[in-house]
Amino acid sequence: MAPRVQLEKAAWRWVETVKPEEIRQEHIELAYRINLPACKRGACRRNCKGNPNCLVGIGEQAWLGEIDESAFHSIDDPNSERREKNTFVGLTNLGATCYVNTFLQVWFHNLELRRSLYQCQNSRAEEHDTESDYEPQSICEHLQYLFALLQNSNRKYIDPSGLVKALGLDTGQQQDAQEFSKLFLSLLEDTLSKQKNPNLRNVIQQQFCGQFSYVTVCNQCGRSSALPSRFYELELNIQGHKSLTEISHMLEEKLDGENRYFCETCQSKQNATRRIKLHSLPPTLNLQLMRFVFDRQTGHKKKLNSFISFPEQLDMGPFLEEKQDEKCVYELSAVLIHRGISAYSGHYIAHVKDARTGDWYKFNDEEIEKMEGKKLQLGIEEDIAETVKSQTKKPKCSKGYHCSRNAYMLVYKVQQEESSGPIRTNVEVPAFLQRLVDQDNHKFEEWCSEMTDMRKQSVDKGKAKHEEVKELYKLLPTRDGEPYEFIPLDWLKKWLDDSTATKEIDSSRFLCSHDKLHPDKVGDSRKVSMQAAQLLYERYGGGPRLNESSLCRECVSQRCRVLRLKNQLSEDYKEISNLVKRTFSGAGFWVGKASLRSWRQLALEQLEEDEHETAHNNSQTNGQGPHTNNSKGSNNPYNWGLSILETERKLVSPEVWTKFREYFPKAPEFTQDQEACQQCLVSEEKDNEAVSKMMALDQKNQLLNLFHEKNRPALTKWPQGTDVLYVVPLFFVDEWRKFIRRPTKSSPVSNVSNTLLLCPHGGFMFTYDSVALLWPSEWDVISRLFIVDQPISIHCLKRTTPSGSTTQYTTQPDLCWECRESFLFQQQRDLREYTQATIYIRKVIEDKRMIKEAAPELSVSSSEAEEEKEEHPKLDGEKDPDFSQVTTQAPRGIRRSTRHRKLRGEKALIVSANQTLKELKIQIMHAFSVAPFDQNLFIDGKSLTDDSATLGSLGIIPESIICLKADEPIADYAAMDDVYQVRMPEEGFKGEHVLLQT
């Protein structure tokens, strides 16, 4: 199918030979593209825009054919969250809490610790009402509840956030795992020591605590000193060692260099050897492999990634100082792994042996994996550190040994006799905790049931929608001669999009002003059979319904007239251009010269406006002013700005006016003998002038420095003698100065609207460059002369500190930073997206002096002319401060006056940011009689050469000054029009003088 633009042109090609009054039904159907061939599936890759009969590529592909049930929902199977039989429960990683999860799993599998925690008194849990949620408070309560859930929960994994929060851990930052283990055991020991049950007070010591002595021997004199102590985790220095069998060497430390030992016998620092002598061992032996060591060269911790081998059975007897009757053979029960090469990042997992079955499990947060067989299998955990090719290969391990470069903690349990095994592995959850677990399991089952129901509902709804689409989509295409209706295309797409709820059919936005289908909207609708439309409206409702009787003859006739006029416009332009140059006798009609110059562009815009049935909100008609109405038809842009000055209007013949009326049928008509509007000529009464002059003189005398802008305070250097300055809008000062300069021409200022400087929160949000600063004495005068709605002040606070004096500024009300940033962003955006803004064109010659000649008849009139008369600018452009701004930026922090002083020969033009440089050159051509190809334009010393670029992209902002250097001026207006015809923006001719009135 042809592109949309080609379809639209083909739909209206008949207007070239058919007049509006000759339109028949076949022409209407052509305009609405009723008989365009329908597209077939497979022939069109996507939906054809502009063809109302194309029903391909609107989302039907997903529904035609067989569909799997999973496509009807996005809800995962809730049973995937259920704990599998004979498996353990995982723990959720809250961000960087994997190290916490590994220790919790290890401690949970310590049956003695778990049994002891269950016996702790918990009156809150015992008295808890199962109808409400249980919220543990203490560390012990959290650990009790967590262990009970790990033992009997139906969930695949549980959330430990309650315990983590109670411990005050940062979930986003990984802590030192070894330090956490020590602190947590210490905290647990302190908690259990306060229990009333004496059997619980020493559980931590009984399970984890051993006795040893630090023995230091001086290498010089041989003196030996011992310091008894106890340990919960035995720290082994693995640097330089390969096997755990070298424990005796791992417990030894050399004291030399800066770390030398002070010997009491030698009375000086000497090299010494410090070693640990073991006296007694706990049932649970925690061996900390010191992989994270301090690097003195870098000042940071580093990880030792060297391999260390460790046995499944460890005989600690040879390492004890005194042989004891207690068991010294230990079995490996847990291995904690740190995956990663850095000491500050990585991932923690735990391999734990089930005390009941002897099976090994890998605990990786939520995921739990049972190892095959009864042996520990570290697997890929040892591949994580392989980042450097030069690293040592994994050594071969003897039978009963394991090798690891990532293991950082080994947990051994003393070997128990087989007869005691079945009794000690049975740990029952207390009844009060089981009630809480049952309550949580009940919630989980309810959630699973709810998710299952939602999945079923989604599947049932999807199947029903599938059948509906298959049924109705076959009925959508129309057949020749059968009745049809129009359905919005976007509604059909949403109907076929299962992710959005289908709403009622809304065709109201497709209606024209005659309550029928607009010709331009037919491409956004689809022609369907009446049978299919009836079924859709019965199921979804909506309206209005549009059928073959909704084709609008009036809109087609109007479009036909407009298109024919657009085709005729070029010929009429040439004819009118010749007629205007001729002299005629008899009565004529007044037309504004601005309208006469741009009538073709205005006519084209008017035709496009009529074509799309949209009104130009910014247009003005001939004579439209304060005393004319704004009814439909009076907003025609032609013949606006008709001035009482004869230099601004031209008399045209009836023949020319008749031509204009074809394009502007509702433009107001002014004959040659009509008088000017008297209201526009009424001047101020003399007594009012006298009062205004006296008022201006009085205010000027009281605020003389403010008027002349002398002795002004500034924030860059806080003035001496005051600690407060006041703020008023710069707009108020500019309007007040305008009144003082021209009291008979300007209205007096009565209010100071400081609320304009406040944000919706009541804070000060404007930048200091957009306000004027006042002395306190000036503020007193302002407050007396004008109505001030909100005082705003800036205070200077000077403080003296030991390091020096500081100065701080505060505002009253406070500065609202959020709104201020938003205001600055909008301010920059306005500079880039402005409309109806004023810029200034200055014509210069080689010596950069202003050219005094101008084209009075073509100049744009505005209030700037009066400003020019009063200001008396210097003729020498180089000495004028505003002229120097063309190439020099104003210093930062110094506010440049927002009032532009216009030089003689300078022109003000109204432009928009989206206007191109080419269009600006046409405006300059009409203002200075310089052809576009003779114009050399500069702004801030930069040449403007890209005619297709917009003014916004070229950095031309409101109040910009553009220098024009003409190669050779051309005075023939008609010649320039013929040479360089482009579209002129209507904003360029706004704001002319007083209008004529009938």
Side-chain angles (χ1 to χ4, degrees):
M1 183 61 64
R4 183 169 187 169
V5 176
Q6 295 183 19
L7 291 176
E8 291 178 354
K9 289 182 178 180
W12 294 96
R13 191 170 292 129
W14 54 269
V15 302
E16 298 175 0
T17 58
V18 180
K19 297 180 180 179
E21 59 272 13
E22 299 173 351
I23 291 177
R24 298 190 302 273
Q25 182 65 24
E26 61 182 275
H27 302 123
I28 297 176
E29 291 183 356
L30 282 172
Y32 281 91
R33 308 162 213 174
I34 299 299
N35 299 317
L36 282 178
C39 299
K40 296 181 180 180
R41 295 191 66 235
C44 279
R45 290 179 296 176
R46 57 177 181 270
N47 189 254
C48 298
K49 296 181 179 180
N51 184 3
N53 295 315
C54 182
L55 295 170
V56 177
I58 59 176
E60 79 285 352
Q61 301 93 334
W63 298 98
L64 303 180
E66 297 300 323
I67 304 178
D68 187 76
E69 289 186 359
S70 60
F72 295 134
H73 65 80
S74 58
I75 303 173
D76 293 333
D77 185 2
N79 290 318
S80 63
E81 304 289 316
R82 188 182 300 278
R83 176 184 184 179
E84 297 179 3
K85 188 177 181 180
N86 296 326
T87 58
F88 291 102
V89 178
L91 292 167
T92 303
N93 190 336
L94 304 176
T97 57
C98 53
Y99 69 99
V100 179
N101 293 344
T102 56
F103 281 110
L104 289 176
Q105 293 287 8
V106 171
W107 292 326
F108 170 75
H109 283 80
N110 188 309
L111 303 184
E112 291 298 328
L113 177 61
R114 193 198 317 174
R115 186 182 294 109
S116 300
L117 280 172
Y118 284 163
Q119 296 175 9
C120 290
Q121 184 179 3
N122 190 342
S123 58
R124 292 183 63 256
E126 294 173 0
E127 300 171 0
H128 175 68
D129 182 6
T130 56
E131 295 182 359
S132 59
D133 292 336
Y134 171 64
E135 295 291 342
Q137 291 184 354
S138 67
I139 303 295
C140 187
E141 290 176 0
H142 276 288
L143 207 55
Q144 269 187 335
Y145 185 44
L146 187 68
F147 278 9
L149 289 174
L150 286 174
Q151 185 166 340
N152 289 337
S153 177
N154 291 345
R155 301 177 187 269
K156 184 178 180 180
Y157 49 84
I158 58 177
D159 184 356
S161 57
L163 175 63
V164 171
K165 184 177 181 181
L167 292 172
L169 300 177
D170 183 358
T171 59
Q173 184 176 0
Q174 197 172 86
Q175 307 292 334
D176 188 313
Q178 297 171 346
E179 190 68 23
F180 167 74
S181 175
K182 294 177 183 178
L183 293 177
F184 188 83
L185 286 178
S186 175
L187 180 64
L188 199 58
E189 179 183 15
D190 181 66
T191 301
L192 294 177
S193 66
K194 300 176 183 177
Q195 291 290 319
K196 296 180 180 180
N197 187 346
N199 295 328
L200 302 179
R201 296 174 185 171
N202 298 318
V203 169
I204 300 299
Q205 294 92 325
Q206 293 170 0
Q207 279 294 310
F208 302 104
C209 187
Q211 302 291 330
F212 69 89
S213 297
Y214 281 113
V215 179
T216 306
V217 179
C218 177
N219 293 351
Q220 181 69 24
C221 65
R223 181 181 182 276
S224 174
S225 62
L227 177 65
S229 183
R230 63 180 184 175
F231 68 91
Y232 294 90
E233 296 172 348
L234 196 58
E235 297 180 351
L236 302 181
N237 179 18
I238 65 172
Q239 192 165 15
H241 302 287
K242 296 181 179 180
S243 176
L244 210 61
T245 56
E246 305 174 24
I247 286 182
S248 58
H249 299 290
M250 294 180 183
L251 298 177
E252 189 175 280
E253 180 185 6
K254 299 294 183 181
L255 302 180
D256 51 16
E258 296 181 357
N259 200 27
R260 287 186 299 172
Y261 164 73
F262 184 84
C263 178
E264 294 289 343
T265 302
C266 301
Q267 287 297 307
S268 63
K269 284 187 176 183
Q270 300 292 338
N271 292 339
T273 302
R274 174 178 292 170
R275 62 186 305 270
I276 293 176
K277 290 185 178 182
L278 298 175
H279 301 297
S280 65
L281 299 174
T284 301
L285 180 61
N286 295 325
L287 299 181
Q288 285 280 6
L289 307 182
M290 303 302 290
R291 288 200 177 273
F292 307 117
V293 297
F294 183 76
D295 189 345
R296 295 182 180 275
Q297 293 182 350
T298 62
H300 298 285
K301 279 187 177 182
K302 69 176 182 179
K303 180 184 176 183
L304 300 177
N305 292 301
S306 56
F307 281 101
I308 191 78
S309 65
F310 49 91
E312 293 183 356
Q313 287 192 351
L314 178 64
D315 186 2
M316 293 295 292
F319 308 112
L320 288 173
E321 290 297 315
E322 301 173 359
K323 299 294 182 181
Q324 299 180 4
D325 296 335
E326 63 183 28
K327 290 279 185 181
C328 294
V329 178
Y330 287 80
E331 290 185 346
L332 184 66
S333 64
V335 179
L336 277 68
I337 300 289
H338 174 266
R339 298 167 61 178
I341 61 174
S342 170
Y344 296 98
S345 62
H347 183 61
Y348 291 87
I349 61 174
H351 294 265
V352 184
K353 184 178 181 180
D354 184 3
R356 297 173 303 167
T357 64
D359 296 327
W360 281 90
Y361 291 84
K362 181 173 74 172
F363 293 87
N364 185 6
D365 293 332
E366 298 91 345
E367 300 296 327
I368 299 175
E369 180 184 353
K370 182 182 177 182
M371 302 288 101
E372 295 181 3
K374 298 285 185 178
K375 298 296 183 179
L376 171 64
Q377 299 175 17
L378 296 179
I380 63 170
E381 275 65 53
E382 296 311 313
D383 299 332
I384 303 301
E386 293 286 354
T387 58
V388 183
K389 293 183 179 180
S390 61
Q391 288 183 333
T392 58
K393 294 183 179 180
K394 182 178 179 180
K396 293 182 179 181
C397 294
S398 304
K399 186 177 180 180
Y401 278 78
H402 298 278
C403 289
S404 173
R405 71 184 340 150
N406 288 319
Y408 73 94
M409 182 173 176
L410 306 176
V411 180
Y412 283 89
K413 290 186 179 179
V414 69
Q415 196 174 56
Q416 300 286 344
E417 296 183 4
E418 295 183 1
S419 59
S420 63
I423 300 174
R424 299 187 61 81
T425 58
N426 186 21
V427 180
E428 295 291 337
V429 176
F432 72 93
L433 287 175
Q434 186 59 46
R435 287 199 306 270
L436 300 176
V437 173
D438 293 340
Q439 180 182 358
D440 182 74
N441 287 338
H442 179 68
K443 289 182 180 179
F444 175 70
E445 296 300 333
E446 286 184 341
W447 176 81
C448 288
S449 177
E450 182 182 349
M451 291 297 102
T452 303
D453 292 342
M454 290 178 62
R455 280 168 59 94
K456 185 177 182 303
Q457 291 175 8
S458 298
V459 171
D460 293 343
K461 181 181 176 183
K463 289 182 177 179
K465 182 67 172 289
H466 187 201
E467 294 300 323
E468 174 187 302
V469 172
K470 287 197 300 184
E471 173 194 357
L472 289 179
Y473 187 76
K474 295 178 181 179
L475 300 176
L476 288 180
T478 60
R479 297 180 181 178
D480 294 340
E482 290 186 355
Y484 56 84
E485 291 192 28
F486 292 94
I487 300 292
L489 175 60
D490 59 350
W491 186 90
L492 287 173
K493 289 182 177 180
K494 290 180 180 178
W495 171 59
L496 293 170
D497 182 5
D498 190 49
S499 63
T500 58
T502 306
K503 300 180 181 179
E504 65 177 17
I505 303 171
D506 181 14
S507 302
S508 58
R509 66 185 186 279
F510 290 171
L511 298 179
C512 66
S513 58
H514 313 103
D515 291 330
K516 294 186 177 182
L517 178 61
H518 195 292
D520 287 345
K521 298 297 182 181
V522 69
D524 296 325
S525 59
R526 289 296 176 264
K527 184 163 69 82
V528 301
S529 66
M530 182 169 287
Q531 181 184 2
Q534 182 65 28
L535 291 173
L536 289 174
Y537 276 108
E538 286 177 356
R539 297 182 186 183
Y540 298 102
R545 299 180 66 166
L546 303 174
N547 51 34
E548 61 264 29
S549 63
S550 301
L551 308 183
C552 185
R553 175 179 287 272
E554 290 81 358
C555 286
V556 174
S557 299
Q558 173 65 7
R559 176 68 60 82
C560 178
R561 184 190 72 85
V562 169
L563 292 176
R564 289 176 63 86
L565 284 175
K566 289 176 71 174
N567 294 335
Q568 184 185 343
L569 181 59
S570 296
E571 296 181 3
D572 287 343
Y573 176 75
K574 294 179 181 179
E575 184 179 353
I576 289 177
S577 297
N578 293 328
L579 291 175
V580 168
K581 297 175 183 178
R582 300 176 185 173
T583 58
F584 67 92
S585 59
F589 296 86
W590 287 113
V591 177
K593 287 187 175 181
S595 296
L596 185 61
R597 287 195 298 267
S598 58
W599 79 267
R600 182 170 65 173
Q601 186 61 41
L602 296 174
L604 183 61
E605 292 174 0
Q606 182 64 33
L607 291 174
E608 291 177 352
E609 178 181 328
D610 293 341
E611 186 177 2
H612 295 90
E613 291 188 353
T614 56
H616 285 244
N617 296 327
N618 295 328
S619 303
Q620 291 184 344
T621 63
N622 189 16
Q624 181 181 338
H627 318 297
T628 62
N629 57 47
N630 288 324
S631 62
K632 186 176 180 181
S634 64
N635 285 335
N636 189 284
Y638 187 69
N639 222 11
W640 50 264
L642 199 58
S643 173
I644 61 171
L645 300 175
E646 292 192 11
T647 57
E648 298 296 330
R649 52 192 168 100
K650 184 174 181 64
L651 198 64
V652 299
S653 65
E655 185 179 2
V656 173
W657 181 249
T658 302
K659 286 285 185 182
F660 284 155
R661 294 286 286 186
E662 292 181 11
Y663 294 95
F664 310 104
K666 297 186 179 181
E669 187 175 279
F670 299 102
T671 59
Q672 182 178 359
D673 54 357
Q674 279 186 259
E675 295 182 359
C677 175
Q678 294 301 313
Q679 284 183 298
C680 297
L681 302 175
V682 174
S683 59
E684 296 284 345
E685 296 183 3
K686 292 184 178 181
D687 53 342
N688 289 339
E689 292 183 359
V691 171
S692 296
K693 289 180 179 179
M694 291 178 61
M695 181 187 300
L697 183 61
D698 179 59
Q699 293 181 6
K700 178 180 178 181
N701 291 335
Q702 295 190 61
L703 299 167
L704 195 60
N705 285 341
L706 180 61
F707 175 75
H708 291 296
E709 205 166 354
K710 293 182 179 180
N711 190 25
R712 306 313 308 149
L715 294 181
T716 53
K717 184 178 181 181
W718 189 269
Q720 299 292 332
T722 182
D723 57 357
V724 61
L725 297 174
Y726 291 89
V727 173
V728 294
L730 191 60
F731 172 78
F732 159 76
V733 177
D734 291 339
E735 290 298 311
W736 175 73
R737 286 177 179 151
K738 187 184 296 183
F739 168 69
I740 298 301
R741 291 189 181 97
R742 299 182 297 164
T744 61
K745 300 291 184 179
S746 305
S747 300
V749 182
S750 59
N751 298 314
V752 180
S753 300
N754 270 359
T755 52
L756 297 175
L757 305 178
L758 304 181
C759 70
H761 316 106
F764 182 49
M765 74 168 184
F766 272 52
T767 59
Y768 294 133
D769 289 344
S770 64
V771 298
L773 299 178
L774 304 178
W775 297 100
S777 59
E778 292 175 333
W779 175 253
D780 293 339
V781 176
I782 293 288
S783 302
R784 189 172 64 254
L785 295 178
F786 307 100
I787 301 174
V788 183
D789 53 9
Q790 170 70 49
I792 300 178
S793 57
I794 303 175
H795 300 261
C796 177
L797 302 177
K798 294 186 177 181
R799 297 177 179 177
T800 302
T801 62
S803 59
S805 59
T806 60
T807 303
Q808 181 181 1
Y809 300 110
T810 61
T811 63
Q812 185 64 33
D814 293 335
L815 192 65
C816 184
W817 291 103
E818 179 180 357
C819 292
R820 180 175 180 271
E821 293 298 323
S822 176
F823 170 75
L824 291 174
F825 175 79
Q826 185 63 38
Q827 207 174 42
Q828 293 297 322
R829 182 179 177 180
D830 290 343
L831 289 177
R832 297 191 304 267
E833 302 178 3
Y834 56 86
T835 57
Q836 303 287 311
T838 301
I839 65 171
Y840 301 94
I841 310 299
R842 290 182 178 173
K843 191 174 181 184
V844 298
I845 55 177
E846 290 298 332
D847 59 358
K848 298 185 180 181
R849 292 188 308 169
M850 298 299 300
I851 293 184
K852 301 179 181 180
E853 295 81 23
E857 185 175 296
L858 302 177
S859 63
V860 178
S861 301
S862 66
S863 59
E864 303 294 340
E866 296 177 0
E867 293 281 347
E868 181 185 346
K869 294 178 182 178
E870 179 185 333
E871 291 301 323
H872 302 293
K874 302 174 183 179
L875 294 179
D876 189 350
E878 288 186 339
K879 297 180 180 179
D880 184 74
D882 281 335
F883 183 82
S884 63
Q885 292 166 6
V886 175
T887 56
T888 305
Q889 296 291 336
R892 183 179 180 92
I894 301 176
R895 182 184 62 82
R896 193 178 71 182
S897 174
T898 59
R899 184 169 180 271
H900 179 76
R901 294 180 174 86
K902 224 174 90 175
L903 298 182
R904 184 170 302 169
E906 179 181 283
K907 303 298 176 89
L909 299 182
I910 305 298
V911 296
S912 299
N914 60 0
Q915 180 178 333
T916 64
L917 182 63
K918 185 177 182 180
E919 292 170 338
L920 175 63
K921 287 185 176 182
I922 295 301
Q923 289 181 255
I924 295 174
M925 176 184 73
H926 289 291
F928 287 92
S929 298
V930 178
F933 43 76
D934 288 331
Q935 297 176 19
N936 298 299
L937 303 180
F938 301 88
I939 181 171
D940 295 336
K942 181 181 68 174
S943 177
L944 305 177
T945 57
D946 188 357
D947 285 352
S948 61
T950 63
L951 302 189
S953 66
L954 292 172
I956 299 175
I957 63 174
E959 302 295 320
S960 291
I961 301 173
I962 298 178
C963 288
L964 165 64
K965 180 182 176 184
D967 290 343
E968 183 178 352
I970 297 178
D972 188 350
Y973 231 83
M976 285 187 288
D977 270 347
D978 290 338
V979 170
Y980 211 79
Q981 286 297 339
V982 296
R983 174 174 174 171
M984 288 289 293
E986 65 174 292
E987 297 92 352
F989 299 99
K990 266 199 165 182
E992 294 198 25
H993 285 312
V994 186
L995 310 176
L996 292 179
Q997 187 80 359
T998 57

